[in-house]
Amino acid sequence: MIGAVPSFQRKKRSMKLRTLALLTALAAPATAQAQTRECAQSPGKMLEVCVFVEGGQALYEVKRGDVTVLAPSALGLSFAGEPEARYSAITGAKRAAANTSWEQPWGEQRLIRDNHSELTVTLAGDTPLNKAVDVTFRLFDDGIGFRYDYKGIAPGQAVAVTADRTQFHPVGDYQAWWYQGLGQERDEYLYTQTDARRITLAETPLTLKGANGLYLSFHEAALVDFPSMLLQGNGAGTLTAWLMPWPDGVLAKKTGPFTTPWRTVLIGTSPGALADSRIELNLNEPNKLGDVSWVKPGKYVGIWWEMHLQKTTWGSGMRHGATTANVERYMDFAAKYGFDGVLVEGWNQGWDGDWTAHGEQFSFTKAYPDFDLPAITAYGKARGVRLIGHNETAGAVVNYEDQLDEAMKLYASVGVGAVKTGYVKHSGTILDRAGGQNWFAGQYMVDHNLKVVETAAKYRVAIDTHEPVKDTGLRRTYPNWVSREGARGQEYNAWGNPTNPPEHVAILPFTRMLAGPMDYTPGIFDLLEGGKDVVSRRVQSTLATQLALYVVLYSPIQMAADLPENYEANLPAFQFIRDVPTDWEESRTLQAEIGDYVVVARQPRGGKDWFLGAVTDENARSLTQKLDFLTPGKRYEAQIYRDGAGADYRVNPTALAIEKRVVTSKDVLTLDLAPGGGQAVRFRALD
Ligand code: NOJ
Ligand code: CA
């Protein structure tokens, strides 16, 4: 069977697609006789997956052309009350294929192509719960996804998953970018680059670069009602799924029959192939919310950075940041410069004292007396600016859930269209109603995060989760889940020790960002804030880099994080932030090396312009960039924001040169990037 091209694929390749909406469910009814090996190829024959049973194990392997990417790797779950299953055969195989495209309501790419082939095998195991397990593989040309369907479990039967035996066995030498999972600060860590064999327990997306020229990334899609998956190394390069357990040690509590999230492997020959893959979205269910025209991408400012700089406080008192007067000042600024939202933290009661230890004291409806919610929202409405709410829970999830409906109802009634949530709490200490301590992304929190999103949707409120369960593409199904944090963001540049080194933003696009949008909050202009002279304690980037991040790090909501006065002190540079959109027709990673540099181009949704963002690590470099993404024969005014003479994140971060020239698709741009530098370009269509 290996290498054989199923007849449906031969037919499809020779057939020019007349319509994008071709959906075929084809071929091969369950085989009459038990088989031990089934294979399938991706639509363009780039990848092949074979599944087989050997020595009581169910295994899959993945090839790209002649290269074995994943050597035989185990499949299957184990359950409480029965031994580890041994599999005897594949008792059925079904094949299907789809070649469709669908439109995102907002996103990095308006139209998404979903071109995949599918193989579902039924495994026969020797335990009651593993008696008949379907494993469905979806093969795209740039990666695969697979998930289990425990269809043989009786409806309503409660089961407890005690092990996920799924393995990934990359062949050859790989470098990995990762941090140790289960740390106190959840996913807020700097990445280190090591030999992949040194991985102990890594969060996903876990990205690898091979000596064979391949780039791989392991993650999951559609994580619903199941614990988050980490990957455990065995010292020899094989990775095994490791699920965040419940307080009692059970990994997942399910009711039969059930399907798991998709386990995904992106496979490409460049970092950009990973970043530009849309598998994550394609493996999620379509929009469940119906009309989502009320979900608005956009840019916002907020009473936020001033607190992280300790100029004002979240708690009440003389230096309280969330006063009506201060909010109105930000709203005036937002209205004047075209921002549609103002985030306000510290508006609600519960911040006084050690709030991180007393999340149960937070009220999500009662404001501090110097914050007049109705007056503020009316003030904003008159100026076309909406208040963005903030719900810091400090991990007191029960307290939040108890107020959730009432809170969202209140926000909707005053026109709050989006809420930023937060779960500042050490990663394994989230209490459930029974007092059990949960991991920040175990099944309990996966369910909680979605409950918040679904409740918010009922009131037409969008959610931006900080300290979240990692993204797995659920924005497709729940388009009001607009963004998340889930990595070390800009906040660490206010007080981190160390702050984020320059390479961090050249790693994120190929690690954290593969999961989905990130609320990084770029745009710090006062890079020497307070005369900070220790480089590792301040924002480690040039001003041009701060601008470039609006293009490099995708999010449908982007903050201009600095203080209004710092923007008003440099309006020429601020113009780029005013001009850059947050919703795109198309996105392309033009060139990159993970942790060294990245160049991204995006075209505004429904527009003719293009935007480009480039960032480098601590090394200066000169990149040659063809402009062949521009429409041939058209002229563009390139508005270039580049590192100025002598720019260097260590000694001269604010040197910025702004210039304009006319270019076409035939031109080549030289991107001279300073240490810690970057470049941001708007290509304004002239024709
Ligand atoms: C952590 C969030 O990431 C940050 O943005 C917020 O300001 C603080 N928590 C306080 O809620
Ligand atoms: Ca955070």
Side-chain angles (χ1 to χ4, degrees):
M1 262 313 267
I2 318 179
V5 182
S7 61
F8 76 90
Q9 287 187 333
R10 282 202 297 272
K11 196 162 69 193
K12 206 153 70 55
R13 271 185 297 120
S14 64
M15 188 170 66
K16 264 258 182 261
L17 298 180
R18 285 201 194 89
T19 163
L20 281 176
L22 173 75
L23 183 69
T24 40
L26 289 157
T31 46
Q33 271 191 332
Q35 297 286 326
T36 54
R37 186 175 187 100
E38 294 288 346
C39 298
Q41 289 183 312
S42 64
K45 296 185 70 182
M46 297 290 283
L47 301 177
E48 181 184 60
V49 170
C50 290
V51 197
F52 54 99
V53 167
E54 206 173 80
Q57 276 199 304
L59 301 156
Y60 73 103
E61 67 183 340
V62 181
K63 281 187 167 183
R64 188 176 191 277
D66 293 334
V67 177
T68 300
V69 182
L70 300 184
S73 305
L75 294 167
L77 303 177
S78 296
F79 296 90
E82 58 175 44
E84 195 172 283
R86 293 180 63 78
Y87 299 97
S88 56
I90 293 173
T91 54
K94 275 184 294 193
R95 293 164 197 281
N99 187 359
T100 59
S101 84
W102 55 277
E103 185 170 343
Q104 297 205 78
W106 49 264
E108 70 280 57
Q109 182 96 19
R110 185 171 63 85
L111 288 174
I112 303 279
R113 187 74 176 271
D114 179 357
N115 188 12
H116 70 255
S117 47
E118 187 177 292
L119 167 68
T120 300
V121 296
T122 304
L123 299 171
D126 64 356
T127 65
L129 298 174
N130 265 291
K131 202 166 55 195
V133 188
D134 276 359
V135 190
T136 296
F137 287 84
R138 285 220 180 133
L139 291 87
F140 304 79
D141 283 327
D142 58 352
I144 63 158
F146 61 94
R147 70 173 173 194
Y148 304 105
D149 180 355
Y150 275 81
K151 63 176 189 182
I153 301 178
Q157 183 182 348
V159 297
V161 177
T162 52
D164 185 339
R165 294 156 69 187
T166 310
Q167 287 188 332
F168 306 89
H169 187 168
V171 179
D173 291 334
Y174 280 91
Q175 289 286 303
W177 284 264
W178 65 291
Y179 50 86
Q180 175 89 33
L182 306 184
Q184 290 197 346
E185 303 304 329
R186 305 156 305 272
D187 291 317
E188 299 178 359
Y189 288 94
L190 295 174
Y191 292 84
T192 48
Q193 181 186 344
T194 74
D195 187 306
R197 282 175 280 249
R198 289 181 53 196
I199 292 169
T200 48
L201 186 64
E203 277 282 6
T204 71
L206 171 62
T207 298
L208 269 50
K209 176 188 177 182
N212 57 7
L214 289 181
Y215 290 80
L216 311 180
S217 188
F218 303 94
H219 190 43
E220 55 185 317
L223 172 59
V224 175
D225 195 29
F226 210 72
S228 181
M229 178 185 75
L230 290 86
L231 292 171
Q232 188 168 34
N234 69 347
T238 299
L239 303 161
T240 304
W242 190 96
L243 306 183
M244 280 189 184
W246 283 90
D248 61 6
V250 166
L251 306 183
K253 300 181 181 187
K254 300 294 296 179
T255 306
F258 73 92
T259 55
T260 65
W262 296 91
R263 278 66 183 93
T264 59
V265 188
L266 304 183
I267 304 167
T269 53
S270 67
L274 306 182
D276 296 349
S277 169
R278 309 291 176 227
I279 289 180
E280 192 64 25
L281 287 166
N282 277 326
L283 289 175
N284 273 272
E285 298 297 320
N287 172 14
K288 274 191 181 166
L289 301 181
D291 170 29
V292 286
S293 55
W294 48 272
V295 179
K296 305 274 187 222
K299 284 172 292 190
Y300 70 101
V301 293
I303 301 182
W304 179 77
W305 188 240
E306 59 177 64
M307 288 153 170
H308 286 269
L309 296 181
Q310 299 183 2
K311 289 181 189 298
T312 58
T313 58
W314 282 274
S316 62
M318 293 294 287
R319 293 193 300 124
H320 187 214
T323 64
T324 303
N326 200 22
V327 180
E328 290 181 354
R329 183 171 73 92
Y330 273 81
M331 283 182 157
D332 288 342
F333 176 85
K336 183 167 175 193
Y337 295 106
F339 291 80
D340 31 45
V342 174
L343 166 73
V344 180
E345 301 202 354
W347 67 275
N348 58 319
Q349 293 183 20
W351 290 92
D352 296 312
D354 182 5
W355 58 268
T356 59
H358 294 288
E360 72 286 352
Q361 292 177 8
F362 278 120
S363 166
F364 299 102
T365 51
K366 293 196 187 86
Y368 279 123
D370 53 355
F371 178 91
D372 187 339
L373 179 64
I376 283 167
T377 47
Y379 189 89
K381 194 171 180 192
R383 287 159 183 78
V385 178
R386 295 176 97 181
L387 180 69
I388 298 176
H390 183 235
N391 290 172
E392 173 59 62
T393 67
V397 165
V398 173
N399 177 50
Y400 189 33
E401 288 195 357
D402 286 347
Q403 301 179 51
L404 191 55
D405 202 84
E406 199 191 338
M408 293 297 165
K409 191 193 270 179
L410 169 68
Y411 308 152
S413 74
V414 292
V416 169
V419 171
K420 168 179 167 179
T421 60
Y423 298 87
V424 175
K425 185 82 178 169
H426 286 169
S427 65
T429 60
I430 305 244
L431 297 184
D432 56 32
R433 230 169 258 281
Q437 293 201 340
N438 290 266
W439 289 106
F440 75 103
Q443 189 178 3
Y444 176 67
M445 284 303 283
V446 168
D447 291 351
H448 167 76
N449 271 217
L450 191 53
K451 180 177 182 163
V452 172
V453 168
E454 286 182 308
T455 308
K458 212 167 77 180
Y459 294 103
R460 302 194 147 201
V461 171
I463 294 293
D464 165 21
T465 317
H466 277 232
E467 297 80 41
V469 170
K470 69 191 175 190
D471 201 346
T472 56
L474 284 168
R475 62 188 158 124
R476 178 177 182 187
T477 315
Y478 303 95
N480 69 321
W481 204 342
V482 286
S483 202
R484 309 190 200 204
E485 190 192 39
R488 241 183 181 239
Q490 186 88 274
E491 62 177 347
Y492 279 79
N493 294 334
W495 40 256
N497 186 14
T499 52
N500 300 333
E503 67 166 15
H504 188 55
V505 292
I507 296 174
L508 286 175
F510 310 104
T511 51
R512 159 65 184 82
M513 304 305 295
L514 301 181
M518 176 176 176
D519 189 28
Y520 185 86
T521 68
I524 299 304
F525 275 29
D526 186 10
L527 294 159
L528 298 168
E529 185 273 322
K532 285 181 182 169
D533 52 6
V534 179
V535 179
S536 63
R537 299 301 303 272
R538 64 175 199 228
V539 186
Q540 298 187 53
S541 90
T542 67
L543 184 52
T545 295
Q546 288 296 309
L547 301 180
L549 292 178
Y550 288 89
V551 184
V552 170
L553 301 177
Y554 169 68
S555 176
I557 55 158
Q558 289 277 23
M559 186 176 203
D562 211 339
L563 314 178
E565 53 269 35
N566 293 333
Y567 291 131
E568 291 200 300
N570 193 349
L571 289 176
F574 190 44
Q575 190 61 42
F576 184 81
I577 301 181
R578 297 180 65 192
D579 291 339
V580 69
T582 64
D583 196 18
W584 307 98
E585 187 71 23
E586 201 184 322
S587 289
R588 287 189 219 165
T589 306
L590 301 175
Q591 50 174 320
E593 200 48 78
I594 304 174
D596 295 340
Y597 64 91
V598 50
V599 185
V600 177
R602 304 189 197 270
Q603 184 173 45
R605 184 162 169 138
K608 289 185 183 164
D609 292 358
W610 278 86
F611 285 77
L612 177 147
V615 296
T616 179
D617 59 4
E618 69 283 2
N619 299 308
R621 66 184 84 229
S622 184
L623 302 172
T624 303
Q625 181 56 59
K626 286 188 190 160
L627 302 184
D628 53 4
F629 53 89
L630 300 174
T631 305
K634 303 281 181 195
R635 293 171 314 126
Y636 297 81
E637 179 187 70
Q639 303 171 354
I640 300 171
Y641 300 74
R642 60 175 174 80
D643 291 320
D648 184 322
Y649 77 104
R650 291 161 301 194
V651 292
N652 189 8
T654 52
L656 181 79
I658 303 175
E659 64 189 24
K660 290 181 181 166
R661 45 193 259 225
V662 175
V663 298
T664 70
S665 65
K666 292 204 173 104
D667 283 311
V668 169
L669 207 60
T670 303
L671 306 170
D672 283 320
L673 311 177
Q679 191 161 138
V681 186
R682 176 189 182 192
F683 297 93
R684 191 170 66 83
L686 296 175
D687 302 315

